Amino acid sequence: MSESPARHLPLQGASNFRDLGGYPTIDGRTTRWRHLFRSNHLGQLTAADVEIVRALGVRSAFDFRGLEERAAGICVVDEITVYSLPIEPTVVATLRAELARGTLTAPVALEIMRESYRNYVRHNTHSFRNLFGHLLEDRAPLVIHCTAGKDRTGFASALILHALGVPDDVIADDYLLTNQHYKRDATAAIDLPEDVRNAIGSVEASYLAAAFEAVGKEYGDLETYLRDGLKIGAVERTALKERYLQA
């Protein structure tokens, strides 16, 4: 039996660059290797990294960063067309407001993170809907990313895997892989307490659960969210599976 490709690609100028391939689905198929990647931003890739990404055949990137974030780290791979799906960051500004009031603690930071995930559903569903519209156009191999590749990208990846029929426990495991591969920027938000920076520099199951909690409150359940929020009905779901699953 041949070995599976590496899930995590250890790039020097990016961390958390991972393949969403090789995951089993409830109908006995698996997600295709080397079609769907997730990462942090691609603005600091080395020349060697660029060659690795080129060899993967990546031609499209779907970028959830806000306006200022994008300007601070423009994709350095010329062949990649970047599609902006902006979700403006709110967490650090909210944390600093709590700090100024003297009310910032690690538990407060955790709840701010959870609330940001709920807001993906409440206020940013259009960006995830646009992502699925692009996925239906079959631009693979492609990469989905934000700044850290863990929160906006993590929720997007969970939605994709769910639409493809990957079981919830496998989706959760993929989400938590960020904690093994993401390298925090030591210079970011240094005005915040260390325990707070730890909370925002990793992922927790409760973050993703908060997003799905919001899905339940806003749409009833995840299947309805896919259909009504993301416009992925039965026809679209079949098309996604044909593109991104293998027998």
Side-chain angles (χ1 to χ4, degrees):
M1 182 180 295
S2 61
E3 292 185 3
S4 297
R7 181 167 305 286
H8 175 249
L9 285 82
L11 305 179
Q12 293 184 24
S15 68
N16 215 18
F17 193 107
R18 312 203 314 260
D19 195 325
L20 291 176
Y23 287 134
T25 64
I26 57 177
D27 61 0
R29 302 168 74 182
T30 57
T31 54
R32 291 186 187 275
W33 286 104
R34 298 306 190 243
H35 275 58
L36 298 167
F37 297 93
R38 54 172 294 178
S39 181
N40 66 337
H41 76 88
L42 308 178
Q44 296 178 337
L45 299 182
T46 66
D49 294 337
V50 170
E51 291 307 310
I52 291 171
V53 173
R54 283 176 176 157
L56 293 171
V58 176
R59 292 294 181 269
S60 303
F62 300 100
D63 184 355
F64 286 111
R65 294 178 299 170
L67 184 62
E68 290 186 10
E69 291 177 287
R70 292 199 307 275
I74 297 172
C75 178
V76 298
V77 185
D78 294 338
E79 295 88 345
I80 291 181
T81 301
V82 179
Y83 298 85
S84 178
L85 306 171
I87 298 176
E88 293 293 338
T90 60
V91 168
V92 173
T94 305
L95 290 169
R96 285 176 173 152
E98 293 285 347
L99 182 65
R101 286 193 288 268
T103 53
L104 182 59
T105 63
V108 167
L110 291 172
E111 182 54 29
I112 288 171
M113 287 296 299
R114 287 188 282 266
E115 186 68 3
S116 73
Y117 274 69
R118 296 183 189 107
N119 286 334
Y120 295 157
V121 178
R122 296 168 181 154
H123 306 308
N124 297 288
T125 286
H126 61 281
S127 289
F128 299 105
R129 182 188 310 131
N130 288 340
L131 170 65
F132 274 90
H134 286 298
L135 294 178
L136 285 165
E137 296 174 9
D138 195 14
R139 299 176 185 273
L142 57 88
V143 60
I144 301 156
H145 74 89
C146 48
T147 292
K150 69 184 189 69
D151 299 311
R152 292 162 287 190
T153 297
F155 183 52
S157 298
L159 291 174
I160 292 167
L161 293 175
H162 181 83
L164 293 175
V166 175
D168 291 346
D169 60 331
V170 178
I171 293 172
D173 287 344
D174 175 79
Y175 173 75
L176 292 172
L177 278 178
T178 282
N179 291 335
Q180 294 183 33
H181 300 300
Y182 174 57
K183 297 176 183 176
R184 289 166 50 188
D185 180 353
T187 66
I190 57 175
D191 56 314
L192 298 176
E194 182 63 21
D195 57 352
V196 170
R197 294 175 68 206
N198 288 337
I200 65 174
S202 59
V203 294
E204 288 201 0
S206 69
Y207 299 167
L208 192 58
F212 290 133
E213 169 195 308
V215 165
K217 288 186 176 179
E218 298 289 325
Y219 291 87
D221 56 43
L222 190 50
E223 294 300 315
T224 304
Y225 182 58
L226 283 170
R227 186 190 68 212
D228 296 347
L230 304 179
K231 306 305 179 185
I232 300 297
V235 172
E236 292 80 11
R237 203 160 182 178
T238 296
L240 284 174
K241 289 182 178 182
E242 288 304 308
R243 286 176 170 87
Y244 301 114
L245 295 183
Q246 61 189 27

